[in-house]
Amino acid sequence: MKKILVTEDSAAMRGLIVSTLEAMECFEIIEAGNGFEALRTLPREKVDLVITDINMPDINGLELVNFCRSNPQYQQTPLIIISTERSERDRKKGLALGADAYLIKPFQPEELQQLVRRLLH
Amino acid sequence: MGSRQALDDFLAEAEELLEKLRQDLAQFGDEIESGEINPDLINGIFRDAHSIKGVAGMFGFDDIAELAHRLESLLDHLRLGKISPNGILLDLLFETIEGLGRLTRGKATDSDFTIDISAYVQRIEALISGSGSCEGVSLMALDLDPSLLNVLTEYEEHRLKFNLGQGALLLLASVAFPLDSFDTDLSELTSEFKHIGEVISTLPGAANDDPSLLAFRILLASKVPLETLAERVEFSDCQFTVIAEATTEASPECEISPGPGGEEIAAPGATEDTSLRSVSHSVRVDIGKLDILMNIVGELGLVKGSIAQVATDLTQAGQPLSRDLEKAVHALDRRLVELQKAVMDVRMVPVRQLFDKMNRVVRRMARELGKNVELSTFGADTEFDKLIAEELADPLLHIMRNSLDHGIEPSSERLAAGKPETGRIELRATQRGNHVVLDISDDGKGIDPDVLRQKGIERGLVDPAAQLTRQDLFNLLFTPGFSTRDEVSEYSGRGVGMDVVKNNISAMSGMIDIESQPGQGTRISLTLPITLAIIKALVVHIQQRDYAIPLTSVLETLLLEPGMIQTIEGQEVIELRNQTLPLLRLNQLFALDETTSTAGEFVVVVGFSDRRLGIVVDELRGQQDVVIKSLGQALSFVKGVAGAADLGNQRTVLVLDVSSLINDTLRGDGSLNV
């Protein structure tokens, strides 16, 4: 089963993303409440897709994207960034750093599912 | 995403976020008055508003999302320095949060509930429209790696510019930590940095030569010169690169509008002086350091005891000035009590953290088990010692697993039994004096005492002829290897469990009780001391030796008079207010002498509620604060002893583990010879 790492500091938002993904019934979901947890998880689990919020304390989502893209192990791992419509600049930065796709909050569950399906075909 | 469970999750989180926002705003108000504003606080407030908006939007609560959006927008201007903090802004923030609170509470009962938010929106827009811009400082002139600039969020860029505008020393600290401990190492380093300046961003590095290390770069605005930093041992692992030197004259300040009608109250860093003084208001401390503090406080108490003794001796010897010494000892005592309380306060954490953890576990497990379960929590603000919170996590998890796995029935079974389809588990924390009581109750199928008796008989634990109370039967659950389930479950396993839970709870001087009604549910109560480190103890004397009994478990003491003791089924008991109280003689338990002594002048009644025991002692020595020290792994098998304590004057005593004494005596465990 493919593994998806969901990094999001708001527990309720994370819960929603996780239940949306779990409804697809074909992935193992790993949750991270901040950038540290994500960094700890990456080397331990073979993650097939990373979904991350941008605005997080200490290690932000952009830094996580940059970390993945500059490490050979995770260079090919698909990345989805999640942000609000306000943070357009941050979103552009994320894509420039190598994120594969973005989602703007609030989004419909189907949007997320389609994106995941496309990236993990 | 409209399930009731998800909705409840949202409401719970929204309530919690709003409560946190209220507290943070109050703090923000204090900071506006003092003129020392912590950027982390404002960013935290912004992020909380952002979270509410995000989640409300997903649920289709457009009014909450819209209002939170406006609030977020206002806070975004604030954190990016486009509007200045003042009283008018603060009032508006508070009112908007109240508006969000009304909406959220309304949705809890009726998801169509709404209020008119246009008045809030107008006032927010009015304040924003008067705002200026603070992009006067360019980052281009900096000697900054573009790859670094690329990963900064807009907010982090703003903090960088702000600090640059203030003429702060900007540094990049490079450091590498082992993979398995980087998060604690890094957060310790970060908190050290926060003492001397502002951490703008933390960047995990690219792959390096050593795969067991993870490299980080920390972008930092320092208030102390580089030489001072380099000398400090905390930072000896860091390599510093200067990005911008400190300048004495700040760059021209950007224009910030105070907003319509707003009286200007010191914009952030309006003068160099305020910016230099702004420090983080919270500090993260290793619990080990607090343990050391606590031990020192405890030992100070012992020293004070020795001084008091000297003072008394001097007074009795008729020495001049001894009165003054006694007075000074008294004053020292009062201060010590304050110090002890203050140190204790620092160690306190709300039980909420533990509840949140359980909430996640329950959600996940319920999903995996295919059960519908709702977890409600009460008293999340109840506080207890951080150490207890840590120690409690595993036992609590085990109890929750049992409830979910064995307690709550599958939906079909519940419906057939005429119960609501969704099972309920309730976590309730209440403070009672020096204890916190945690009740974990479910409305599942309960435990049938008759089944327990049957199992007990099968395993030879129960005499078929014995008259056992319900409580006796429930206590069988704590026997190692005792399980009523025949099949093995992925979650609760088999046989492993309640005995381990009980041992963990006892190790914290806690008590565990089970009450269950077949068909209606089970309730497990954990009674725990608020703190472990320092306790008040009753020191007693038995056969030339002193022992300490934690005062929290002492109910009363009695003078033992001839003829009071009766013997029932080989067990010594006394009659106490029409109830039978079993007696325990420590000299027998610890095999202090061969003969059964009938000496003993006093009975110390210990226990909680209806589970009580009388300990026979020769003498009551008095009450004293003691610091319990563990006996260590090597002696962990010793029954009935919680640890050792120093009484001062080089006297060490054993502290009795009342809870295990009670259980073993009431169960008639052979090892106790009672």
Side-chain angles (χ1 to χ4, degrees), chain B residues 270-430:
Chain B
T271 65
E272 196 178 4
D273 194 32
T274 52
S275 84
L276 282 173
R277 277 190 288 117
S278 82
V279 265
S280 165
H281 282 257
S282 64
V283 182
R284 290 170 66 153
V285 185
D286 186 328
I287 188 84
K289 293 184 184 168
L290 293 181
D291 284 344
I292 294 174
L293 263 184
M294 201 65 174
N295 276 332
I296 294 175
V297 172
E299 276 151 20
L300 273 178
L302 300 178
V303 175
K304 184 223 69 191
S306 311
I307 300 177
Q309 189 58 49
V310 174
T312 314
D313 293 349
L314 287 178
T315 308
Q316 276 165 3
Q319 292 284 336
L321 290 180
S322 64
R323 283 263 164 254
D324 292 338
L325 180 59
E326 281 193 19
K327 263 191 217 158
V329 169
H330 219 71
L332 176 65
D333 188 30
R334 277 202 304 274
R335 288 288 169 271
L336 266 180
V337 170
E338 286 173 20
L339 178 61
Q340 180 183 333
K341 196 176 166 303
V343 175
M344 217 108 98
D345 259 5
V346 177
R347 301 173 59 96
M348 291 300 195
V349 292
V351 68
R352 178 186 313 285
Q353 298 172 358
L354 205 54
F355 282 6
D356 285 350
K357 215 181 274 178
M358 294 306 136
N359 211 339
R360 285 198 294 276
V361 171
V362 167
R363 240 189 16 219
R364 205 191 63 226
M365 273 190 52
R367 228 163 29 219
E368 288 175 18
L369 290 167
K371 290 183 178 177
N372 271 332
V373 182
E374 198 176 288
L375 176 70
S376 28
T377 58
F378 301 90
D381 288 328
T382 313
E383 290 190 321
F384 53 20
D385 196 290
K386 170 82 177 161
L387 207 60
I388 295 187
E390 301 269 317
E391 297 286 320
L392 196 55
D394 283 343
L396 192 56
L397 192 64
H398 203 96
I399 295 171
M400 304 291 289
R401 280 180 178 161
N402 269 328
S403 277
L404 265 163
D405 203 5
H406 304 326
I408 303 289
E409 316 89 327
S411 299
S412 54
E413 224 172 278
R414 291 184 64 88
L415 288 173
K419 291 183 180 182
E421 188 180 344
T422 303
R424 278 185 64 87
I425 298 182
E426 191 183 290
L427 264 176
R428 184 182 290 274
T430 29

Side-chain angles (χ1 to χ4, degrees), chain B residues 26-91:
Chain B
Q27 165 93 24
F28 179 48
D30 293 344
E31 294 188 4
I32 291 180
E33 276 191 19
S34 70
E36 295 177 23
I37 292 171
N38 176 6
D40 285 349
L41 179 70
I42 299 180
N43 197 34
I45 296 174
F46 167 79
R47 285 160 23 76
D48 287 341
H50 174 88
S51 293
I52 294 180
K53 178 185 104 167
V55 190
M58 305 288 284
F59 274 92
F61 291 145
D62 295 339
D63 42 4
I64 298 183
E66 173 66 16
L67 189 52
H69 170 72
R70 303 292 174 151
L71 177 66
E72 182 198 354
S73 169
L74 182 61
L75 289 163
D76 195 30
H77 278 74
L78 177 65
R79 76 185 186 127
L80 295 177
K82 293 174 186 171
I83 48 177
S84 64
N86 60 41
I88 289 184
L89 170 74
L90 188 67
D91 286 346

Side-chain angles (χ1 to χ4, degrees), chain B residues 12 25 27 49 55 63 83 112 120-121 168 241 253 311 326 378 380 382 443 458 499 503 542 577 586 597 649:
Chain B
L25 278 187
Q27 165 93 24
V55 190
D63 42 4
I83 48 177
D112 291 329
Y120 296 105
V121 173
T241 317
E253 278 173 27
E326 281 193 19
F378 301 90
T382 313
D443 67 346
E458 278 170 29
D499 60 316
N503 287 343
I542 304 158
R577 288 186 289 274
L586 287 176
S597 159
N649 319 327

Side-chain angles (χ1 to χ4, degrees), chain B residues 523-540:
Chain B
R523 192 183 79 217
I524 297 184
S525 293
L526 307 178
T527 307
L528 298 151
I530 286 183
T531 186
L532 288 177
I534 296 187
I535 59 160
K536 285 200 185 304
L538 176 68
V539 181
V540 298

Side-chain angles (χ1 to χ4, degrees), chain A residues 18-63:
Chain A
V18 168
S19 54
T20 302
L21 295 173
E22 277 174 347
M24 298 171 77
E25 292 185 341
C26 49
F27 301 115
E28 184 183 334
I29 317 296
I30 307 165
E31 301 182 36
N34 55 50
F36 290 133
E37 284 180 26
L39 286 185
R40 209 168 26 192
T41 307
L42 280 169
R44 291 189 190 169
E45 309 267 357
K46 202 203 147 298
V47 174
D48 299 286
L49 171 70
V50 177
I51 300 179
T52 180
D53 184 27
I54 288 188
N55 217 315
M56 295 186 294
D58 292 322
I59 295 180
N60 69 44
L62 297 178
E63 283 155 355

